[in-house]
C-alpha cells in the first residue's frame, strides 16, 4: 500500500502496479508463519501429576511432544526461508500466485495438527502417514509457486537462467521425495519413518549448502537460505 | 507511519495525510486474517482412543472438523483477497472506513466459532443457521465498505466508473444471496444447506472469472482476485 | 528498518534516527491487538449437549460469552483506534515511549482473561471488579503515553496546542472515570455495573463525536477516530 | 520487498540487496513476539468453583499464574527491546543471521510452556530448572546474534567500536549469569530461585541504565532500550 502511495506521490503507480504489489501477500504469510511456529508449542502440555508421581517422572511424557515440536518448527522454518528466498525473486503477484500462496498457507496451517498427532501416536503408521501427507502438501505447493513464477518473466525482477530454475525446483522437490520415502516405510517400520522425517532437515541443509557451493557466482542458487 | 516520515523528510506530509494513511488498518487486518485461518485448524482435534479402538477408526471422527476447516479457510481466503482488491483502490481512510473495517474484522473473528459449531453439529439446522449468519455478516460488512469507499472520490486513488462499482457490489452481494439460500433451507434439508455453504466458493470463483472476462481492459473488475 | 535504509541510501539517517524509528513498535502493537481481538472469540465455547438436550436450549448458555466478547472487542477496538490516533502525532520513540507502550500491551493482553472471567461470573462483584481493573489499566497506560509524548516536542511531528493536549487527555481519562464508576457499584448492583461497562463505548463515541464537532478546523481533535 | 521495489524503481537494488534485506526477518520476529506475549495470558485460567466455594477464595489460586505471566511478559519484552536495539545496527542479513534469529525465536517460543510449568509447579526444582534452561537459551541465542553481527562490518550500518561491542555482549551475557545462578540454587531453595528469576529484570534495567549513563555521547550503548 505504502509503496503505491509513495510512487504515486512521485507520480507514477498505475492501478495495475498497486494490484500486483506483493506486500500484503507477504504480510499475511509472515503472520501465518509466526503463528504456526508459536502454536506448535501449545502441544507441549504441562503434565498433571497423579498421586505419588513426581514431576521428574511425569516430565518424560513430554519428550515426544518436544521432539515433534522440534521437527515441525524446523519444517516451518525451512518453508519460511524458502518462501523468503522465492519472493526476493518475485516482483509482482497475480491471481495465480495469490491463490497458490494461499494453498501453501493451507498446507502450513495443518502442521500443528500433524505435529500434535505425531506427538500423541508417534508409533502409529497412520499418524506418520498423515504427518507425511501434510509435509508433502507443503512441498508440492512450494514447488508449484516456484514453477509458476519462474516461468513468467513479467512477475520476476530478473528472468532466471534455466540452471537456477532447475536448482530451485530440485530444492523444492527434494524434501518431497524424502517425505514420500518416510510415508512409504511408515507401515513397515514406524521408527525408521520417524527418523527419516527428523533427518529431512539435515539432508535439506546439506543440499542447500552444496547448491550454494556449486553455483557460479551471482546466480540465484547462491542466495538460498 | 514510515511513509509519513519519508514524505515529511522530503518535505510534505500534513497531519491530515498521516491520519488518513491506511497502513496500520492493513497491518491489523492482515494480522487478524493470519490468526483466523490459523486458529481454524485448532478445531481439528487429535482423537483420544478408547480401549480396543484403533487410530484408523477414530480418525474418521476428525473428518467433519476437516471439512468445516476447509470451508472456513476458503471463506476467510475469499474475504482476504476481496479486502486486498478493495484496498488497492482505497488511498485514504477516514473514521467511517476504520470502523466499518473493524466491523468486518468482528464478523471474521466469529468464523472459528461458527466453524467449530458446524464441525460438531453439522446436521443441526440451528448450527447451520448460526454459521450462515456469521457468513452473512462478513458479506454485509464487505459490501458496506465497498459502497462507502467507492462513493467518496476523496478516498480512492482514481474514481471508479459506475459499471465497476456495480460489479464490485455484485461480487460482495452475490455470496450473501447464496448464504441466505443456505440459511433458508437449513431446517428443511440440513444436508443440502451444508452443500450450498461448501459450494459457495466454487460459485464465487466462477463469478469472479466471468467478471474478469466480461470487463473491458483496464477496468477495476479485471483486478479482482 | 526499511525507512532507515532508504533514507541512508538517499544519504542521511543517523544511528539516532534509526533507534527512534517507531515502525517496529507499531508492528508489535498491531500484532498484539490483532491477536487479542481474535483470542477473545475463543471464550465462546461450542456447547456440549447433555442427554435429551437440544442445541436450541444449550446455545442460550453461550449468550453471556457472546456479550462479553462484544464488550471486550469494542474496548480493544477503541484502544487500537486511540493508539493509532496518538501515533499519527508521534514521530520518534524513546525508551520511555517503548516501555509505556509495552505496559499498554500488558494491560491489553489481560483483556481475554477479564472477558472470560466476566462471561463465566457476570453476576459476581469480584469478576466485575477485576474486569474493571483491567480496563482501568488500559486507560491509565494510554493516558500516560499521551501525557508523556505530547509534553516532549522532540518526539512529535508538530507541537500540539494546549487545548488539543487537554482534549486528548480528556478522551483517555473519560473512560477511566466510567470504569471507576462501574467498579464502585459492582458490589451494590452487579447488573448496573455490567450495564455501565457495556455502555462505556457508547459514551465514548458520543464524547469523541462532540470533541470533533467542537474543535476548530485543523486541530488534532478533528482527527480522533 | 517494498524497499527493493522502490530502490529499483529509483534504479539500483541488485538481487544481492533484496536477498539481504532484513524486513521479512523483522516481520516474522515481531509477529512471534506479539503472539508469545499474548499466549502467555492463556495460562491464567478462569477458575471453576466447586460447591460452597466463592470466587473470592478461588481467585487466589490464579495468583501463581499471574506472577509467572508477569515474569514471562517482562522477559519477552526485554528480549524484544534487545532484538530491536540490535537490529537498528544491522543493515543486512545473511544466512547465518536468519538461522540464528530462527534459533532465538525457537527459544522464545518455549517461554509459554516454561511459564505454564512454573505457574503450576512453582516450588518444584525441576520446573524452576526447565524455566531457567529456556531463559538461558534466549540469552545464548541473543548473545550469538550480537557476536555474529558485530564482527561482520558488511552487515552493520556503521562498524561498532570495541567498547560498544563489549557492552552489548555484557548486556546479553549478564542475564545469562543471573539465570545460571537461579538454576543452580533451584534444588537448595526453590523460593530463592524464583525470587532471582523475578528480580532479573530489575537487575537488567539497572545495568542498562548504568551502561547508558557511563557511555560516551554518540556510542551505541546510549541507544539500549
Amino acid at each position: 500500500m505504502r509503496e503505491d502511495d509513495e510512487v504515486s506521490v512521485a507520480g507514477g503507480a498505475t492501478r495495475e502496479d498497486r494490484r500486483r504489489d506483493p506486500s500484503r501477500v507477504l504480510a499475511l504469510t509472515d503472520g501465518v508463519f509466526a503463528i504456526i511456529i508459536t502454536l506448535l508449542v501449545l502441544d507441549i502440555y504441562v503434565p498433571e501429576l497423579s498421586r505419588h508421581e513426581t514431576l521428574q517422572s511425569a516430565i518424560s511424557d513430554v519428550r515426544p511432544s518436544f521432539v515433534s515440536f522440534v521437527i515441525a518448527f524446523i519444517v516451518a522454518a525451512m518453508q519460511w526461508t524458502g518462501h523468503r528466498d522465492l519472493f526476493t525473486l518475485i516482483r509482482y503477484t497475480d491471481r495465480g500466485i495469490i491463490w497458490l500462496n494461499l494453498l501453501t498457507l493451507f498446507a502450513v496451517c495443518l502442521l500443528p495438527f500433524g505435529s500434535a498427532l505425531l506427538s500423541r501416536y508417534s508409533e502409529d503408521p497412520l499418524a506418520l502417514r498423515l504427518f507425511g501427507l501434510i509435509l508433502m502438501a507443503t512441498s508440492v505447493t512450494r514447488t508449484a509457486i516456484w514453477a509458476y513464477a519462474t516461468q513468467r518473466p513479467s512477475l520476476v525482477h530478473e528472468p532466471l537462467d534455466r540452471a537456477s530454475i532447475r536448482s530451485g525446483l530440485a530444492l523444492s522437490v527434494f524434501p518431497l521425495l524424502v517425505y514420500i520415502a518416510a510415508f512409504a516405510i511408515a507401515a513397515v517400520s514406524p521408527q525408521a519413518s520417524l527418523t527419516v522425517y527428523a533427518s529431512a532437515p539435515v539432508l535439506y541443509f546439506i543440499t542447500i549448502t552444496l547448491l550454494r557451493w556449486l553455483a557460479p557466482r551471482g546466480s540465484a542458487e547462491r542466495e538460498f537460505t
Side-chain angles (χ1 to χ4, degrees), chain A:
Chain A
M1 277 295 87
R2 235 165 292 149
E3 190 225 340
D4 317 332
D5 296 356
E6 287 165 325
V7 176
S8 66
V9 160
T14 63
R15 192 195 284 163
E16 184 74 10
D17 283 342
R18 289 196 303 274
R19 172 172 72 89
R20 302 195 301 164
D21 180 44
S23 56
R24 288 193 66 188
V25 176
L26 300 182
L28 185 78
T29 306
D30 287 340
V32 168
F33 273 104
I35 300 154
I36 289 300
I37 66 177
T38 327
L39 282 188
L40 290 170
V41 85
L42 294 183
D43 293 323
I44 312 185
Y45 287 106
V46 172
E48 284 302 314
L49 303 187
S50 50
R51 186 190 287 258
H52 300 310
E53 199 183 12
T54 63
L55 185 57
Q56 189 93 37
S57 64
I59 207 83
S60 67
D61 299 345
V62 174
R63 212 182 54 88
S65 316
F66 185 75
V67 170
S68 68
F69 166 68
V70 173
I71 296 179
F73 187 97
I74 297 173
V75 168
M78 278 164 45
Q79 288 292 327
W80 180 78
T81 56
H83 191 277
R84 187 179 167 279
D85 286 348
L86 173 57
F87 275 81
T88 57
L89 304 173
I90 294 180
R91 180 173 171 73
Y92 290 121
T93 54
D94 64 0
R95 202 189 182 191
I97 288 207
I98 287 174
W99 282 101
L100 282 176
N101 195 61
L102 284 165
L103 263 184
T104 310
L105 297 184
F106 178 85
V108 168
C109 278
L110 288 169
L111 267 179
F113 169 70
S115 166
L117 193 70
L118 195 65
S119 73
R120 183 74 186 74
Y121 304 105
S122 61
E123 308 276 295
D124 192 297
L126 184 60
L128 287 159
R129 279 181 177 165
L130 287 173
F131 187 65
L133 281 176
I134 294 168
L135 295 185
M136 286 177 214
T138 62
S139 286
V140 167
T141 50
R142 177 180 169 179
T143 310
I145 301 189
W146 178 268
Y148 184 93
T150 52
Q151 272 156 35
R152 281 167 179 75
S154 66
L155 297 180
V156 292
H157 282 281
E158 302 129 318
L160 270 73
D161 56 273
R162 295 180 65 87
S164 295
I165 294 179
R166 267 202 306 270
S167 297
L169 274 181
L171 200 62
S172 301
V173 169
F174 171 73
L176 184 60
L177 299 179
V178 177
Y179 300 148
I180 290 175
F183 180 93
I185 61 174
V188 187
S189 167
Q191 196 55 50
S193 175
L194 187 59
T195 309
V196 175
Y197 286 133
S199 59
V202 181
L203 295 170
Y204 180 81
F205 280 109
I206 294 172
T207 314
I208 225 170
T209 306
L210 281 176
L211 280 174
R212 282 166 66 106
W213 276 14
L214 296 174
R217 227 186 133 66
S219 64
E221 296 95 306
R222 284 270 171 158
E223 296 162 13
F224 292 150
T225 314

